[in-house]
């Protein structure tokens, strides 16, 4: 049977938010700093069940029960202690400890490391107040850090001596080997005597979820020092990829913010930014410890709030740091869990900005924080030119690749829809094409007959189902075949991605099909139709295609066709569509020329009649077809 030490259980409770665990079994609502709901142990009608995330406990006044998340699973789900801890450890990503001499030795060593760090923090704090700490106090005064704030963050000073801390802690009965293990001393490679790691530095204690000092960050006070900031190395109790500076205090502060704020945490880059923000009234700030945000950091932030705000400098380096954070968090996104980004004016960090502009101006920057999706869109759009169809197609393909990397299917689908909306211009393809159509002045009431309507009209069903509108029928067949045979996407992905449709609603439906198939693996026709039916803008046109009697007569587009038949029919229809596109381009060019020169109008009219004769022969009599052939031959 595994042996669970107090440290292991404390870490388990620190990694999991009590309201998240218990909220899976009890419907909770936020009430001040706590969560409230109906007791799962009695049949009460008035809520008296409370969960406190700061204390990591629940209190049920109806039944008189209380406890932590382990106790809740034991009481509410009837699990044994080992079963409850095992389930929670899996959720928290923690390996179960083994009851062995090695494990007990590791626990004892961890306890000694924490005790040494606690003692070192006391030494550094007293050194700041002594004569030798005058230079550090002057620096804090220059940075406008008041004495009260220094005490809040337990700021200290490491003397310049190579053995000041070592001598102090050895006199406290800590062995040199343990102090090296704690990262407080450095052991030379030549086997010489260990010496103090932190010398002549302003010291910032780093605490764990229980408020115990587990490491330090030190800022150099001399300009010519190689490392401006120096952090403790990895130790048995400190892993910088799992710890955020000021996390516990910031989490408590955020819990007291008004509900409409979302109780966010502000993530900045360094210790002094966190301290400056706290001094300006923003006690909900944290910072990573000399590293970029990790997956563990992000999960830690999400335990305190749904959308933490990452605060970066507005220069190129700040944007790049934001983009790295996006790449790291994108696969981890969950429903309701994301990031926002606030960018400072170029060349300023929060500390500088607060001194110059004040807290109100900084709040405006926070209020203008951008959602992750918007920053991602801007990054991808600004990284490439979108001035050719091929580049636009590559852009779409790249966005689909990004969407595929999102693990959660609901978020993946939502991002696919978001990008689809951003890719589709207002009014759709037909509207954008209409705006480019020529209309010559001096010809009252005379528009070129190939000019399409601005948007799909309410009479779509009646106008788009007749035998004469072969252009719409062809586009509809291309989309309907994909609806009934989503497996075609794997075979014809490149051609499907390059497909451009003139009808706005068909184009939107096509893009939705592409995004849905890209976001979901091995999707059959029933599942695809179910997903599309949930998109209000596509539901109507999809039903029109599926119920169109004329389209049903085309075998390859129907459900009874084999995949090979569907592929051949789709490619044949695409060939006709591309041929129509080339003729349309020639006609448009001739129309533009006619717009500039009336004498060129005969060429446009000949091309127009020729296209109509080829693409809709059933709508033209033999005389019109012969006339168009003659006129084209005379060009």
């Amino acid at each position: 049977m595994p042996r669970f030490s107090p440290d292991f259980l404390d870490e388990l409770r620190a990694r999991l938010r009590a309201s998240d665990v218990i909220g899976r079994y009890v419907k909770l609502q936020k009430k001040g700093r706590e969560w409230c709901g109906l007791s799962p142990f009695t049949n009460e009608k008035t809520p008296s069940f409370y969960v406190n995330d700061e204390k990591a406990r629940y209190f049920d006044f109806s039944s008189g029960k209380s406890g932590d998340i382990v106790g809740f699973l034991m009481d509410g789900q009837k699990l044994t202690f080992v079963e409850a801890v095992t389930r929670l450890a899996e959720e928290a990503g923690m390996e179960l400890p083994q009851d062995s001499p090695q494990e007990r030795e590791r626990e004892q060593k961890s306890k000694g490391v924490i005790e040494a760090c606690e003692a070192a923090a006391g030494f550094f704090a007293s050194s700041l107040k002594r004569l030798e700490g005058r230079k550090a106090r002057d620096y804090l005064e220059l940075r406008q850090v008041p004495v009260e704030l220094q005490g809040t963050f337990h700021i200290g000073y490491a003397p310049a001596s190579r053995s000041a801390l070592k001598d102090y802690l050895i006199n406290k009965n800590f062995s040199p080997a343990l102090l090296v293990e704690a990262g407080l001393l450095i052991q030379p490679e030549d086997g010489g005597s260990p010496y103090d790691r932190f010398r002549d530095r302003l010291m910032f204690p780093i605490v764990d979820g229980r408020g115990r000092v587990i490491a330090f960050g030190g800022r150099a006070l001399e300009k010519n020092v190689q490392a401006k900031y120096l952090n403790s190395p990895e130790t048995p109790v400190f892993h910088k990829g799992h710890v955020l500076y000021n996390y516990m205090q910031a989490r408590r502060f955020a819990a007291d913010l008004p509900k409409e704020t979302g109780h966010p945490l502000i993530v900045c880059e360094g210790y002094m930014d966190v301290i400056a923000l706290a001094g300006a009234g923003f006690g909900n700030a944290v910072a990573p410890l000399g590293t970029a945000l990790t997956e563990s950091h992000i999960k830690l932030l999400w335990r305190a709030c749904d959308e933490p705000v990452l605060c970066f400098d507005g220069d190129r380096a700040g944007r790049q740091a934001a983009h790295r954070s996006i790449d790291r968090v994108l696969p981890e996104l969950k429903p309701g869990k994301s990031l926002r980004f606030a960018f400072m004016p170029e060349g300023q960090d929060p500390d500088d900005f607060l001194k110059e502009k004040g807290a109100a101006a900084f709040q405006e920057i926070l209020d203008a924080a951008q959602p992750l999706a918007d920053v991602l869109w801007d990054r991808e759009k600004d990284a490439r030119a979108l001035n050719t169809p091929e580049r636009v197609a590559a852009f779409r393909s790249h966005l689909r690749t990004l969407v595929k990397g999102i693990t959660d299917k609901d978020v993946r689908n939502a991002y696919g829809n978001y990008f689809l909306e951003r890719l589709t211009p207002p009014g759709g393809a037909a509207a954008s094409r209409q705006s480019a159509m020529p209309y010559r002045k001096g010809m009252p009431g005379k528009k070129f007959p190939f000019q399409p309507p601005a948007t799909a009209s309410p009479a779509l069903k009646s106008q788009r189902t007749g035998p004469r509108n072969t252009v719409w029928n062809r586009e509809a067949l291309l989309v309907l075949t994909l609806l009934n045979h989503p497996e075609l996407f794997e075979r014809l992905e490149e051609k499907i991605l390059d497909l451009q449709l003139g009808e706005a609603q068909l184009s939107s439906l096509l893009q939705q099909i592409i995004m849905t198939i890209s976001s979901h693996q091995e999707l059959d026709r029933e599942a695809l139709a179910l997903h599309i039916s949930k998109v209000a803008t596509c539901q109507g046109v999809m039903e029109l295609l599926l119920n169109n009697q004329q389209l049903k007569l085309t075998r390859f587009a129907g459900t009874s066709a084999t995949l090979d038949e569907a592929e051949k029919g789709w490619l044949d229809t695409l060939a006709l569509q591309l041929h129509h596109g080339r003729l349309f381009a020639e006609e448009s060019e001739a129309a533009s020329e006619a717009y500039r020169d009336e004498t060129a109008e005969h060429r446009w009219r000949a091309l127009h009649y020729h296209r109509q004769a080829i693409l809709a022969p059933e709508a033209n009599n033999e005389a019109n077809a012969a006339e168009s052939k003659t006129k084209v031959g005379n060009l």
Side-chain angles (χ1 to χ4, degrees), residues 420-494:
L420 175 61
E421 292 175 2
R422 296 293 297 264
L423 285 165
T424 305
S432 61
R433 187 166 66 182
Q434 181 203 17
S435 63
M437 289 298 163
Y439 174 57
R440 191 169 68 218
K441 295 180 180 180
M443 299 177 65
K446 185 179 180 182
K447 293 189 179 181
F448 292 100
F450 60 81
Q451 184 176 19
T455 58
S457 70
L460 178 69
K461 291 184 178 181
S462 60
Q463 293 183 1
R464 305 298 189 188
T465 57
R468 295 186 178 185
N469 202 323
T470 57
V471 175
W472 186 88
N473 285 352
R474 198 165 40 247
E475 293 188 352
L477 281 174
L478 290 170
V479 178
L480 178 61
T481 306
L482 289 178
L483 271 173
N484 285 330
H485 301 277
E487 306 93 331
L488 279 179
F489 188 77
E490 186 174 351
R491 292 190 179 188
L492 304 173
E493 179 174 356
E494 185 174 350

Side-chain angles (χ1 to χ4, degrees), residues 69-239:
I69 52 178
V70 176
F72 177 83
L73 291 183
M74 293 173 65
D75 290 337
Q77 302 304 307
K78 306 304 180 185
L79 301 180
T80 66
F81 175 74
V82 173
E83 289 171 339
V85 174
T86 300
R87 179 181 295 185
L88 293 171
E90 290 176 356
E91 183 179 341
M94 297 174 61
E95 293 185 8
L96 294 177
Q98 301 299 316
D99 187 11
S100 63
Q102 294 81 3
E103 182 63 25
R104 288 193 289 272
E105 181 182 353
R106 189 196 68 79
E107 291 175 10
Q108 190 63 31
K109 185 181 294 184
S110 297
K111 181 181 179 182
V113 166
I114 292 173
E115 290 173 349
C117 288
E118 292 274 5
F123 171 77
F124 292 142
S126 17
S127 295
L128 178 65
K129 299 174 184 177
R130 292 197 292 266
L131 181 62
E132 58 190 352
R134 178 61 184 270
K135 181 168 55 173
R137 295 195 301 273
D138 290 344
Y139 175 82
L140 290 170
E141 184 178 355
L142 179 66
R143 296 295 296 266
Q144 300 179 26
V145 181
V147 174
E148 296 80 7
L149 207 55
Q150 297 174 28
T152 299
F153 286 89
H154 306 287
I155 299 175
Y157 172 68
S161 167
R162 288 171 60 91
S163 63
L165 177 64
K166 173 185 172 181
D167 294 340
Y168 174 82
L169 292 179
I170 287 179
N171 285 333
K172 294 282 186 180
N173 297 320
F174 291 99
S175 69
L178 177 63
L179 299 178
V180 171
E181 188 81 22
L184 298 171
L185 303 184
I186 295 176
Q187 177 66 61
E189 294 182 1
D190 61 6
S193 178
Y195 57 90
D196 290 0
R197 177 180 298 276
F198 299 102
R199 302 181 303 280
D200 195 24
R201 288 180 180 269
L202 198 64
M203 299 300 293
F204 305 91
I206 299 165
V207 301
D208 65 3
R210 298 171 62 185
R212 304 174 303 179
V213 179
I214 57 173
F216 294 91
R219 190 199 189 284
L221 295 174
E222 295 291 338
K223 293 182 179 180
N224 59 351
V225 177
Q226 185 175 3
K228 180 179 178 182
Y229 281 97
L230 180 65
N231 293 315
S232 293
E234 299 278 311
T235 72
V237 298
F238 173 62
H239 307 283

Side-chain angles (χ1 to χ4, degrees), residues 248-290:
M248 294 305 296
Q249 293 86 341
R251 182 173 176 172
R252 295 191 188 100
F253 186 95
D256 288 335
L257 293 174
K259 181 179 179 180
E260 57 270 17
T261 66
H263 312 283
L265 294 185
I266 304 168
V267 184
C268 45
E269 294 191 32
Y271 308 108
M272 292 305 298
D273 288 332
V274 169
I275 294 170
L277 284 168
F282 300 94
N284 50 325
V286 300
L289 305 173

Side-chain angles (χ1 to χ4, degrees), residues 268-325:
C268 45
E269 294 191 32
Y271 308 108
M272 292 305 298
D273 288 332
V274 169
I275 294 170
L277 284 168
F282 300 94
N284 50 325
V286 300
L289 305 173
T291 180
L293 282 180
T294 66
E295 289 87 348
S296 295
H297 286 148
I298 293 165
K299 292 176 181 177
L300 192 64
L301 291 168
W302 282 341
R303 290 185 201 116
C305 65
D306 291 335
E307 293 185 357
V309 179
L310 273 57
C311 189
F312 292 102
D313 295 351
D315 56 13
R316 182 178 179 183
R319 289 279 174 178
Q320 289 176 341
H323 295 164
R324 287 193 297 270
S325 300

Side-chain angles (χ1 to χ4, degrees), residues 477 480 545-555 557-558:
L477 281 174
L480 178 61
L545 296 188
L546 294 175
N547 297 321
N548 186 288
Q549 295 302 317
Q550 182 179 351
L551 297 179
K552 286 183 178 180
L553 297 176
T554 307
R555 173 176 167 74

